[in-house]
Amino acid sequence: MSAIEQKTVTADEAGMRLDRWFKAHYPGLGFGRLQKLLRTGQVRIDGKRAESNTRIAKGQIVRIPPLGVELAADDKKNARPKSSKLVADDRAAIEDMMLFEDNHVMVLNKPAGLAVQGGSGLKRHLDGMLDAFTNQKGEKPKLVHRLDRETSGIILVAKTRKAAQELTKSFRHRNTRKIYWAILAGVPKPFQGRISTYLARSEEEERMRVARHGDDEAQHAVSLYSVFEKSGQKLSWVTLKPVTGRTHQLRAHAAHIGHPIIGDDKYFNIENWELPGGIQNRLHLLARRIVIPHPSGHGMIDVSAPLPPHMQQTWNLLGFDVSDYDPEADDPE
């Protein structure tokens, strides 16, 4: 068995939620196991009990109990140095994803199916691929937010610690505009609306459930939606804006209003519903656009991602045209 560890929170980790900090340091540790360790007081911050949504601060000491042989083996496997060919392949793949880059930040177009961070059984993920951009000082570009594995589109990466701090601050203070595109089953009414619920993690599987205020781990979640175009009453092209940033928020909210995102294997909940011919049964959710203050303090980053191939195919089949969309007029406020 491994011994108790004491880890110090670094400057670029300041403001992170404790559960996300654990995900970054111990990708093999399941959510349920972490919750049990927190409930029983085995994980502590500066000697005090903590919760999964606790925000950590620079210099705090996190007490980590023995996590077991299996996790240690995973960590050892993930720590193996990569071959020069694999590093070159990772670098080339990320350069292919690049939508914008300067000295402070990279904006990538993550393909559907690529995990952002490591987990059980995952050999390749975006965070690991960023090792290929580690500089001579040993500094590696840092993810400042997440996307679900099957969601494609915009993801921000900070190239310096200072940039990571500023971008994280913008996300935390909600100075960020994030717009998603989705194809929903049916047509929501009214055509524009606000979805407000509490969400908590379901214990049965890796998904979220609509919860009541006061439920264990329940967090308030707010999303805005706007129907841009529809294909009869069967499907609709909808823009979604997460006001808060909860796990699976848009997917859970779309299902909650009775119009789940097509191709969603976790939240699609309409029985005997069939996809129209020619449409791939893959998640139709794109992180389309981000507008965020530049971490240098000068100007804004405003970048949009193109439709991934499976969604472009659907747009073509339904006769939807991306060029009809005016971001200044049609993005939900």
Side-chain angles (χ1 to χ4, degrees):
M1 291 286 286
S2 56
I4 291 171
E5 288 185 81
Q6 307 276 351
K7 285 198 174 184
T8 304
V9 177
T10 62
D12 58 331
E13 293 170 338
M16 281 180 78
R17 284 170 48 119
L18 183 60
D19 54 358
R20 290 177 182 163
W21 183 88
F22 265 93
K23 189 74 175 171
H25 285 272
Y26 303 96
L29 181 66
F31 180 82
R33 175 98 188 280
L34 174 60
Q35 292 308 300
K36 186 174 181 181
L37 293 173
L38 289 165
R39 277 197 304 271
T40 54
Q42 295 181 67
V43 170
R44 292 178 177 253
I45 298 177
D46 289 344
K48 297 178 182 176
R49 286 178 178 252
E51 297 182 358
S52 60
N53 61 354
T54 299
R55 298 279 179 182
I56 57 177
K58 177 187 174 185
Q60 287 185 321
I61 306 295
V62 183
R63 176 195 187 273
I64 300 115
L67 295 176
V69 175
E70 183 182 344
L71 186 64
D74 282 348
D75 285 349
K76 196 178 292 182
K77 179 178 66 180
N78 291 338
R80 263 182 218 152
K82 293 181 179 178
S83 69
S84 57
K85 181 183 183 306
L86 191 53
V87 170
D89 288 348
D90 285 350
R91 190 177 187 95
I94 286 179
E95 285 172 350
D96 283 344
M97 298 178 208
M98 201 84 70
L99 295 171
F100 172 84
E101 182 185 20
D102 62 16
N103 292 331
H104 306 272
V105 67
M106 295 189 283
V107 184
L108 305 179
N109 178 23
K110 186 190 82 67
L114 175 65
V116 170
Q117 287 190 304
S120 180
L122 279 178
K123 291 184 178 177
R124 201 169 194 229
H125 50 84
L126 184 58
D127 189 39
M129 293 165 72
L130 288 168
D131 290 343
F133 287 80
T134 302
N135 64 22
Q136 292 178 332
K137 296 178 184 176
E139 296 169 331
K140 167 188 160 181
K142 183 175 178 59
L143 295 161
V144 291
H145 65 126
R146 310 285 181 266
L147 284 181
D148 296 341
R149 183 175 181 177
E150 295 305 324
T151 302
S152 59
I154 299 280
I155 193 156
L156 275 175
V157 179
K159 294 176 77 171
T160 67
R161 285 189 176 184
K162 174 69 173 169
Q165 287 176 306
E166 293 303 316
L167 291 169
T168 300
K169 200 182 299 179
S170 290
F171 278 110
R172 195 161 64 242
H173 295 159
R174 298 182 189 165
N175 298 331
T176 307
R177 199 169 168 207
K178 290 191 287 183
I179 304 295
Y180 289 72
W181 284 1
I183 297 286
L184 304 190
V187 183
K189 289 180 182 174
F191 288 164
Q192 291 186 320
R194 179 178 184 269
I195 308 165
S196 175
T197 71
Y198 284 83
L199 293 176
R201 197 172 290 265
S202 170
E203 292 183 5
E204 292 80 34
E205 51 186 309
E206 287 289 311
R207 66 192 299 276
M208 305 299 286
R209 60 179 175 85
V210 173
R212 293 179 182 173
H213 181 41
D215 283 2
D216 190 32
E217 300 293 326
Q219 293 183 305
H220 192 212
V222 179
S223 306
L224 306 178
Y225 75 85
S226 180
V227 177
F228 180 71
E229 200 165 340
K230 56 195 179 75
S231 177
Q233 294 301 309
K234 183 80 170 176
L235 299 168
S236 53
W237 167 7
V238 175
T239 60
L240 301 163
K241 181 183 178 183
V243 178
T244 53
R246 312 303 180 205
T247 301
H248 294 182
Q249 176 177 314
L250 298 177
R251 297 165 66 180
H253 271 173
H256 174 65
I257 63 170
H259 299 282
I261 300 170
I262 66 170
D264 192 335
D265 63 350
K266 292 185 185 295
Y267 295 93
F268 199 94
N269 52 8
I270 304 174
E271 289 186 17
N272 302 319
W273 193 92
E274 291 187 9
L275 275 171
I279 294 178
Q280 294 183 47
N281 189 22
R282 300 184 65 188
L283 183 67
H284 280 59
L285 181 62
L286 167 71
R288 167 66 177 180
R289 182 184 180 203
I290 194 161
V291 184
I292 188 171
H294 195 283
S296 67
H298 302 290
M300 303 289 288
I301 296 169
D302 185 347
V303 182
S304 295
L307 290 170
H310 71 282
M311 289 179 69
Q312 184 63 65
Q313 180 183 15
T314 300
W315 257 244
N316 294 343
L317 285 163
L318 299 178
F320 294 162
D321 188 347
V322 170
S323 64
D324 290 342
Y325 192 94
D326 178 355
E328 295 310 314
D330 300 315
D331 280 351
E333 287 296 340

